[in-house]
Amino acid sequence: MVTILDTRQSEADRPRLRHPEKAHRPDANASPPKPDWIRVKAPVSKGYFETREIARENRLVTVCEEAGCPNIGGCWEKKHATFMIMGGICTRACSFCNVATGMPHALDESEPESVGRAVAKMGLNHVVITSVDRDDLADGGAEHFVQTIRAIRAAAPGTTIEILTPDFLRKPGALERVVEAKPDVFNHNLETVPSKYLTVRPGARYFHSIRLLQRVKELDPTIFTKSGIMVGLGEERNEVLQLMDDLRTADVDFLTIGQYLQPTKKHHAVIRYVTPEEFKSFETVALTKGFLVVAASPLTRSSHHAGEDFERLKAARLARQSAA
């Protein structure tokens, strides 16, 4: 008797391509070698593994892992984590981003409560909640943000909440619904200068993002607003300075600027590594333009030191109000 083993995988069992839209593209041009100032140590601390275990226990996705953040070791050691709600599959295909692309799964209705429990268990003073783009949903996921904010308020009433949202493009009323939930900080990243949107962020619209940030302040002036960009994608310095002016026109309080790092050969290449001195110059200029707080360094990311930065935001607003 002959036994035949069928080792072919079914369609459902085959590993899913993380970036199917990039699979057949030619490799991007090689990025220059990383300079010493961009290197970080691999995470090995006890705090890192404890944070990872809490995320696993509650079946939570973190942007720290999904986006390959270089600061994951330092942040998780301090039990700082950015939770990514609405799954780990994005409907957009930005050339800089390492989050998986495709058709997302249905929303997990229990996720807001899971996030609330994790925030309470970790004893967070400040939490950051972000998400994938959910263009497949009628409201872009706005109600899920609202429910998550409410769940955190119920489980950890002393925790301040920062949200990093998608642009809710072509989703009327979505932004207004999220602002009504009164997060402490509303962050939406521009990511890059407008001349790079076609190749870096093709599914988004620069001036829609500017208007979204401006609208938050119109709806609730007490909410801090925040935005961030990457540099090293081929932008010119004067374009970055113009972007700062655009954000200040929208009354944005906080600007982050960090170095773009290429996730894979299929992603946009690093055109150059911006020096620490250039980052310091950006910080100085941005502060003179009126931002309350600026974080600019090679390893700066949107949520890096978010809790400490929130305290800086509050102090800077009070100082400005006292001086007025």
Side-chain angles (χ1 to χ4, degrees):
M1 183 177 72
V2 177
T3 301
I4 300 176
L5 299 176
D6 187 352
T7 59
R8 295 175 298 174
Q9 290 179 305
S10 69
E11 194 66 33
D13 294 332
R14 289 176 187 166
R16 183 188 175 281
L17 283 175
R18 187 173 182 82
H19 302 290
E21 81 291 348
K22 298 179 175 70
H24 302 294
R25 293 181 185 176
D27 290 352
N29 294 331
S31 298
K34 286 184 181 179
D36 291 340
W37 65 75
I38 209 74
R39 301 180 189 278
V40 294
K41 295 181 179 179
V44 294
S45 71
K46 179 183 177 182
Y48 166 81
F49 290 109
E50 288 176 349
T51 300
R52 189 177 70 172
E53 185 60 28
I54 291 171
R56 299 286 188 277
E57 287 175 358
N58 290 277
R59 298 181 291 110
L60 298 174
V61 179
T62 68
V63 75
C64 319
E65 293 177 289
E66 293 300 310
C69 180
N71 301 312
I72 188 171
C75 287
W76 282 26
E77 181 178 3
K78 300 175 183 177
K79 289 188 166 55
H80 294 173
T82 299
F83 297 111
M84 189 166 76
I85 59 175
M86 295 190 275
I89 302 176
C90 186
T91 55
R92 303 270 177 102
C94 299
S95 68
F96 68 88
C97 185
N98 199 35
V99 173
T101 302
M103 180 54 71
H105 303 299
L107 290 179
D108 177 1
E109 299 298 335
S110 68
E111 183 177 50
E113 286 69 30
S114 296
V115 173
R117 285 195 302 271
V119 170
K121 186 172 183 178
M122 293 172 71
L124 299 182
N125 293 321
H126 186 82
V127 65
V128 182
I129 305 299
T130 189
S131 78
V132 290
D133 276 287
R134 291 298 302 258
D135 296 312
D136 59 309
L137 300 175
D139 68 350
E143 185 61 27
H144 208 73
F145 266 103
V146 171
Q147 295 304 321
T148 302
I149 292 170
R150 288 177 176 171
I152 295 169
R153 298 270 190 238
T159 302
T160 51
I161 301 172
E162 178 173 331
I163 57 172
L164 171 55
T165 76
D167 58 17
F168 300 121
L169 190 62
R170 291 182 286 275
K171 308 295 181 183
L175 173 66
E176 289 76 9
R177 187 81 179 100
V178 175
V179 172
E180 283 178 6
K182 294 188 75 69
D184 297 282
V185 180
F186 191 109
N187 185 2
H188 172 66
N189 286 335
L190 294 182
E191 306 295 4
T192 188
V193 299
S195 69
K196 298 299 174 186
Y197 263 52
L198 186 60
T199 55
V200 174
R201 200 181 176 213
R205 300 294 179 267
Y206 176 82
F207 287 106
H208 172 82
S209 288
I210 292 286
R211 176 58 184 151
L212 179 142
L213 289 160
Q214 184 179 44
R215 181 69 178 143
V216 173
K217 273 294 171 66
E218 291 173 355
L219 291 167
D220 189 341
T222 67
I223 295 177
F224 289 105
T225 50
K226 178 177 176 181
S227 190
I229 63 166
M230 306 165 290
V231 289
L233 287 156
E235 70 289 327
E236 298 291 338
R237 178 180 172 83
N238 65 331
E239 292 182 292
V240 176
L241 302 186
Q242 180 62 60
L243 176 145
M244 293 179 188
D245 289 336
D246 293 341
L247 286 174
R248 285 303 302 138
T249 298
D251 200 21
V252 170
D253 300 302
F254 186 1
L255 173 64
T256 62
I257 307 176
Q259 172 69 54
Y260 166 66
L261 299 175
Q262 184 182 22
T264 74
K265 292 180 180 179
K266 299 297 183 180
H267 287 78
H268 197 293
V270 175
I271 305 304
R272 75 183 186 98
Y273 289 102
V274 178
T275 67
E277 293 75 21
E278 290 176 275
F279 278 106
K280 184 61 179 177
S281 174
F282 281 139
E283 179 183 358
T284 300
V285 172
L287 287 171
T288 66
K289 289 180 180 291
F291 291 98
L292 290 177
V293 174
V294 179
S297 74
L299 291 176
T300 289
R301 295 297 181 267
S302 292
S303 307
H304 197 204
H305 301 308
E308 295 94 325
D309 287 336
F310 179 65
E311 296 302 320
R312 292 170 61 202
L313 270 173
K314 291 192 295 183
R317 175 182 280 178
L318 284 173
R320 184 169 293 181
Q321 290 171 344
S322 298

